[in-house]
Amino acid sequence: MIIDLRSDTVTRPSQGMLEAMLNAQVGDDVFDEDPTVKVLEERLAKMFGKPRALFFPSGSMANQTALKLHTNPGEQVICDRFAHIYNYEAGGASFNSGISCKLIDGNRGMFTASQVKEAINPDAFYYAKTTLVEVENTANRGGGSLWDFDELKKIKSICNEHGLGYHLDGARIWNALVEKSETPKQYGELFDTISVCLSKGLGCPIGSVLIGDEAIMEDAVRIRKVFGGNMRQVGYLAAAGLYALENNLERLAEDHKRAKEIGEVLGRLSYIKSVEPIETNIIIFELNNDVDETHFIQSLDKEGIKMIGMGSGKLRLVTHLDYTDTMQDKFLSSLQHLKL
């Protein structure tokens, strides 16, 4: 038995999802003729209360398109220093859009409205022009941390006051919605653009969707084409997304429950230095200084358990729909009996 806790992207389509994909009606999406992708886009746009949505092959491409739509070369986006758009999208903000990132030193990937206000550059020709604020919910490097919705509303007020765009990297927004009993339309009312991922947590093999207001989304298809993201019979993948929204959304609560159970066990182990607060499906922890990280990972790998290091002495575990109760029992037992 292989227990893969490296990410919630390691899942494989279920039989039901495969059948939905097999039976999908498809057409050439470049000609705007794929009926299933249209259904997915329309459903997600309606869910978030927005007029437009567009299917993408990856979350990074959806985010990069949003940055491009909101900015011009030489401008600046405000984001947290742990933000995915800054750390894990291969420098795409500068390469694709010619913009810089103004990094906020937040708390577990989250920041406050007052920090945003302080980060806005003065209106002088020798500063980069601040034009966009980006937040990530849940925050990956914050350990799946959850934003306070009232703080997000305060940031929106700052954006309105200064004429700034507001983008949500909602790769794991589904986890936030389930854990806090919030609604997609609440987020749609706040943000100009929202990217949502179907392959994190929901079990799809591929796919993200960018959702937004009519004016900002007008050039989205063109930017996707520039980035090489236009696809043909993409309805087979869109069908997986539709199946996931019907069947795999509410069960995210199970992933959160297992993650918290893992955190409780880790917190009792003598070789663990610290465990960050666990709110959703991501566990970030540190080993004691005298425990070699590589040896720790290799020791678990020998037992068929996979995880990754995040750098700076931190390790990450992510629960997901292919991680079962039987796997949970074995993993917790392995942690408690590990010889280092």
Side-chain angles (χ1 to χ4, degrees), residues 69-116:
L69 292 172
H70 279 285
T71 64
N72 293 306
E75 295 179 347
Q76 194 166 77
V77 54
I78 293 172
C79 62
D80 190 86
R81 66 188 179 95
F82 285 161
H84 194 279
I85 63 165
Y86 176 72
N87 289 279
Y88 301 119
E89 296 185 12
S94 59
F95 188 88
N96 296 317
S97 297
I99 61 173
S100 58
C101 296
K102 184 71 165 287
L103 302 180
I104 292 180
D105 188 7
N107 176 30
R108 298 173 56 231
M110 303 173 292
F111 45 81
T112 66
S114 61
Q115 286 179 297
V116 172

Side-chain angles (χ1 to χ4, degrees), residues 283-309:
I283 308 107
I284 294 178
F285 63 99
E286 290 185 71
L287 301 168
N288 288 339
N289 295 337
D290 61 347
V291 179
D292 181 74
E293 178 182 317
T294 301
H295 178 64
F296 174 76
I297 293 175
Q298 290 176 346
S299 297
L300 286 172
D301 189 63
K302 290 177 181 177
E303 298 192 32
I305 300 166
K306 298 181 180 295
M307 69 174 67
I308 58 173

Side-chain angles (χ1 to χ4, degrees), residues 135-159:
V135 304
E136 182 184 333
N137 195 20
T138 67
N140 172 29
R141 286 196 61 180
S145 52
L146 295 163
W147 282 74
D148 176 73
F149 195 78
D150 286 336
E151 196 64 41
L152 292 174
K153 290 195 289 186
K154 292 176 184 177
I155 295 172
K156 175 65 172 179
S157 295
I158 298 295
C159 290

Side-chain angles (χ1 to χ4, degrees), residues 95-255:
F95 188 88
N96 296 317
S97 297
I99 61 173
S100 58
C101 296
K102 184 71 165 287
L103 302 180
I104 292 180
D105 188 7
N107 176 30
R108 298 173 56 231
M110 303 173 292
F111 45 81
T112 66
S114 61
Q115 286 179 297
V116 172
K117 190 171 184 178
E118 291 174 6
I120 298 171
N121 284 337
D123 186 15
F125 70 89
Y126 41 82
Y127 285 101
K129 183 179 180 181
T130 304
T131 51
L132 177 64
V133 175
E134 184 268 359
V135 304
E136 182 184 333
N137 195 20
T138 67
N140 172 29
R141 286 196 61 180
S145 52
L146 295 163
W147 282 74
D148 176 73
F149 195 78
D150 286 336
E151 196 64 41
L152 292 174
K153 290 195 289 186
K154 292 176 184 177
I155 295 172
K156 175 65 172 179
S157 295
I158 298 295
C159 290
N160 289 341
E161 181 183 342
H162 294 270
L164 308 179
Y166 201 20
H167 174 63
L168 172 65
D169 176 355
R172 293 185 174 91
I173 188 62
W174 313 115
N175 297 87
L177 296 176
V178 167
E179 186 66 21
K180 298 190 74 175
S181 299
E182 294 167 342
T183 68
K185 286 189 177 179
Q186 285 178 280
Y187 284 87
E189 290 171 358
L190 277 191
F191 290 92
D192 303 311
T193 52
I194 301 169
S195 65
V196 300
C197 188
L198 301 170
S199 61
K200 290 187 176 74
L202 297 188
C204 293
I206 189 174
S208 285
V209 178
L210 182 64
I211 306 158
D213 295 326
E214 189 74 39
I216 195 70
M217 291 289 288
E218 187 175 345
D219 285 336
V221 172
R222 182 179 63 84
I223 299 303
R224 188 182 68 177
K225 173 64 175 177
V226 170
F227 290 163
N230 281 6
M231 296 166 282
R232 299 295 180 177
Q233 288 73 28
V234 73
Y236 292 115
L237 301 177
L242 290 167
Y243 179 90
L245 292 172
E246 289 287 345
N247 296 277
N248 296 341
L249 188 52
E250 295 302 323
R251 61 144 308 281
L252 288 170
E254 299 173 24
D255 298 340

